Amino acid sequence: MKVLALVGAVSFTATPVQAEDYLMDFVVNGQSKGEFLVSRGKSEATAEAGLWRAAGVNAAKPLPLERLHGLGTAKIVWSEQTIYFYPRQAETSRKNLKPEARIEPTVARYDLKSADYYLTHHSESDESVVGSITATGRMASFDLDVRAGIGNHENYFSGQWHDEDNKYVKDLELGRVQRYGLDGISLTNESYLATGRFSTDQIELYWPVGTRVDVYRDGAYIESLVLESDPYSYEIELDYANNRYEFQAVLPDGRTDTRTVERAISGRLAPVGQFNYRLAAGQSPESGQSLATGYLSYGLTSELSLFAGRDHQERGYVSALFARDSFSVEPSWYGNRGYAVNGSWQNDDFSVFGRVSDLDDYNQQSVSLSYRALFRPSLQYSSRSRYGYEVQETTLRTYHSAYIRPLRSSVSVSPYLSMRERNGLDTKVIGGRLLANLPHGWQAVASYERESYDSTLDNMQRFRGEISKRFRLGRLTYRHTAMDHGRGWATQQQSVRADLWNWEFATLSAAVNRSSTGEKSFSLSISGSFGRSGFTRIPQRNQATLELTTCRDENADGICQADEPEVTGIAARVGERRVITPAIVDSLTPYRRYNVEVAGDFGLSPRYRAVESSRLVRGGVNRLRLPLSEIQEVEGQLEQDGIRVALVDKATGNVLSEQTTNFGGWYLFYAPAHNEVEVVRADDINLSHVKENESGEKS
């Protein structure tokens, strides 16, 4: 379910003092434009200026939400904290513009795009300031990241190149290989959707340090965490044929973001009759131990592939993976070190996973069953034994979530019961996790576990809790960890953290910690990025940057030459963002194409009303120049008013514009100077068989 974020009271000039405040999701034509504060009084609701700018209104102060109905169709669902808005037809027709050309932005072979930084001072550190600076740029065909450590942080270099269309090498990483956690090299020709084996896979979350993330798997809440590094490595389990994870983040600057990751075991299947590979080699930065891992796969059929390789424990193996729809099975043989068999099946309601292995004299059997409807119960059983030591465990877990409308709160609870047996010692564990989003910006997270023994040993209890409050200036968080060994609760750790996001140039954080011994420490940190648009609090390492300019196309060849003069002050749109040229547009999604539209100027018309960029690289700055052509006037006079005439492009036959004669039979069209056009009566052409292009202006 959607986690609803509610915010505290914020006063607006035109809002009653006792008004309730909401953080509403603003959805335009099915696409979310972000979350904005709405203050709801007795007679009206007032939305902050940011919402109106997202709707296309250049507002400088909050306005009544009722005015949305004057711009289009608005539907406000208070129980979902969502505003659905559909603008008038004029906005819809703009979205229907199809790109007339594809233009590839230029990227320097050696370029520096941005530098992200994270610097902190800790009272217990020997260094006054520690942290890291990551410079992102372009070197030949590589998107290059160079990270420099400050203080006691280690230094390392990492460079990554990715090309989904290259069948030989799709991804190459040098230096610190994040997925494998080693200093060396990795390369593969697998699709980026390919996964690890039936176990775990590591992904990276690129949000600022201090971001709060709630993790869901197949809709069920798993855990909450606070990112302590950028990027933050997170391991996801790959027990089932399809694995869908959702990360709901509250960034330090108050924005919310969601990332969905779906990994399918079938993504590892090689194309029929072709080879896939994944290789990595290097040294562990902690132990200095050398490691070489990877595999080679061959596709026998569209559902069956053979593998041969070496795992992260340097055990050689051969295996066969069969994956069809929602069923997957993979037997693996490790020579004299043993064998393993993994399998899974799932549909919309049920999922089953099983594993049997005997590796290095370590026997393991496990099975899990999950039901995805109602309260999502899951039953897990595992057995492990080695050298006479045996452990068996059975766990029942459920998941419950609800939106409590009278309290304007959402709650997710996951209780569990686990029965363990370790060499004849029986243990019962009762526990649960809770996530609650409350009004006025409050959020609570808690986990509790009680471990009971069947012997004279004392019972053990563990508790971890966190409560946070969001303000206009930032967020205040209190965390508490405690444990009871049967002799009363003892505090393990306490901390208070404040995150300030009111400053647009960086994020500031301060924390005070108290350990189990009573010792106190404090830390102060600052993070952000420096790039072509100056200082910003949003890291740019994993973003793309576009530099957009326009020129006067003097030779009418549709290309901006270096000696053709630049035209400034032209309104343009990159995706859904409005800019004025020259413009630097950052925080774009890398390796995707964007539609770019430009308007005209007095005496100038865009050569292409809309163009499609090629895929934007992540490392360097993508530079795109769009041509503007001079306008010609096409005028004439017919025998009377009221005659419908059309301006037609002779080369293509497209109708550029239409109008009706007036003022004594006159017509006047504006057209790009490079086009050869003619004016014809609308009755003389079959308008249903031509492609209309409304680039002309009506008299």
Side-chain angles (χ1 to χ4, degrees), residues 4-24:
L4 303 178
L6 307 177
V7 298
V10 180
S11 297
F12 289 119
T13 304
T15 307
V17 176
Q18 300 300 323
E20 297 175 296
D21 295 303
Y22 304 86
L23 195 62
M24 304 284 285

Side-chain angles (χ1 to χ4, degrees), residues 197 268 274 336 407 518 571 573 583 602:
R197 304 178 63 79
R268 290 176 51 228
Q274 298 182 30
N336 58 4
L407 300 179
R573 184 186 293 267
F602 184 76

Side-chain angles (χ1 to χ4, degrees), residues 118 120 209-211 226 251-253 466-471 473-479 495-502 506-513 522-527:
Y118 172 64
T120 184
V209 172
T211 297
V226 177
L251 282 67
D253 61 6
E466 174 186 307
I467 187 167
S468 62
K469 175 71 170 72
R470 295 181 59 194
F471 301 90
L473 293 178
R475 178 180 61 211
L476 188 65
T477 304
Y478 171 73
R479 301 190 186 106
S495 66
V496 177
R497 178 181 178 122
D499 299 290
L500 304 180
W501 59 68
N502 192 42
T507 296
L508 298 174
S509 300
V512 178
N513 302 279
F522 70 90
S523 62
L524 177 67
S525 64
I526 180 173
S527 63

Side-chain angles (χ1 to χ4, degrees), residues 259-298:
R259 180 185 177 189
T260 300
V261 176
E262 188 161 359
R263 292 288 189 263
I265 297 298
S266 59
R268 290 176 51 228
L269 293 173
V272 178
Q274 298 182 30
F275 289 95
N276 272 355
Y277 69 89
R278 177 183 291 176
L279 304 173
Q283 283 188 333
S284 169
E286 289 82 14
S287 64
Q289 181 181 3
S290 298
L291 174 66
T293 182
Y295 58 75
L296 180 69
S297 62
Y298 178 78

Side-chain angles (χ1 to χ4, degrees), residues 490-552:
T491 298
Q492 298 296 304
Q493 187 177 19
Q494 290 176 293
S495 66
V496 177
R497 178 181 178 122
D499 299 290
L500 304 180
W501 59 68
N502 192 42
W503 193 27
E504 63 178 308
F505 302 110
T507 296
L508 298 174
S509 300
V512 178
N513 302 279
R514 180 181 181 272
S515 67
S516 58
T517 61
E519 296 181 354
K520 294 182 179 180
S521 61
F522 70 90
S523 62
L524 177 67
S525 64
I526 180 173
S527 63
S529 181
F530 177 73
R532 300 302 171 91
S533 56
F535 284 96
T536 175
R537 60 176 174 246
I538 303 174
Q540 295 297 312
R541 178 193 179 197
N542 203 44
Q543 309 291 327
T545 299
L546 177 67
E547 183 180 293
L548 181 65
T549 58
T550 50
C551 77
R552 181 186 291 269

Side-chain angles (χ1 to χ4, degrees), residues 630-683:
E630 294 185 359
I631 292 176
Q632 60 174 317
E633 294 184 357
V634 182
E635 63 177 335
Q637 186 177 22
L638 299 181
E639 60 272 16
Q640 63 183 21
D641 291 346
I643 301 175
R644 194 66 178 169
V645 291
L647 183 69
V648 178
D649 188 330
K650 285 186 176 182
T652 63
N654 292 343
V655 174
L656 302 178
S657 184
E658 288 185 70
Q659 61 181 246
T660 302
T661 58
N662 205 346
F663 305 110
W666 284 96
Y667 60 83
L668 174 62
F669 290 99
Y670 296 97
H674 63 271
N675 281 16
E676 187 177 355
V677 297
E678 62 178 340
V679 178
V680 298
R681 293 176 182 259
D683 296 338

Side-chain angles (χ1 to χ4, degrees), residues 118-187:
Y118 172 64
L119 306 174
T120 184
H121 168 73
H122 199 283
S123 60
E124 293 185 348
S125 175
D126 296 333
E127 305 286 345
S128 58
V129 177
V130 298
S132 63
I133 299 176
T134 305
T136 301
R138 188 80 171 169
M139 179 179 291
S141 298
F142 290 87
D143 285 334
L144 188 65
D145 297 319
V146 178
R147 173 168 292 189
I150 299 176
N152 57 7
H153 282 220
E154 60 186 286
N155 301 330
Y156 71 83
F157 154 91
S158 67
Q160 185 174 8
W161 173 79
H162 183 84
D163 184 358
E164 193 64 21
D165 300 324
N166 191 316
K167 64 180 180 180
Y168 300 109
V169 182
K170 292 183 184 295
D171 193 275
L172 170 65
E173 195 167 0
L174 299 171
R176 176 61 52 85
V177 181
Q178 298 288 346
R179 165 170 282 193
Y180 300 97
L182 52 83
D183 292 325
I185 182 174
S186 73
L187 63 160

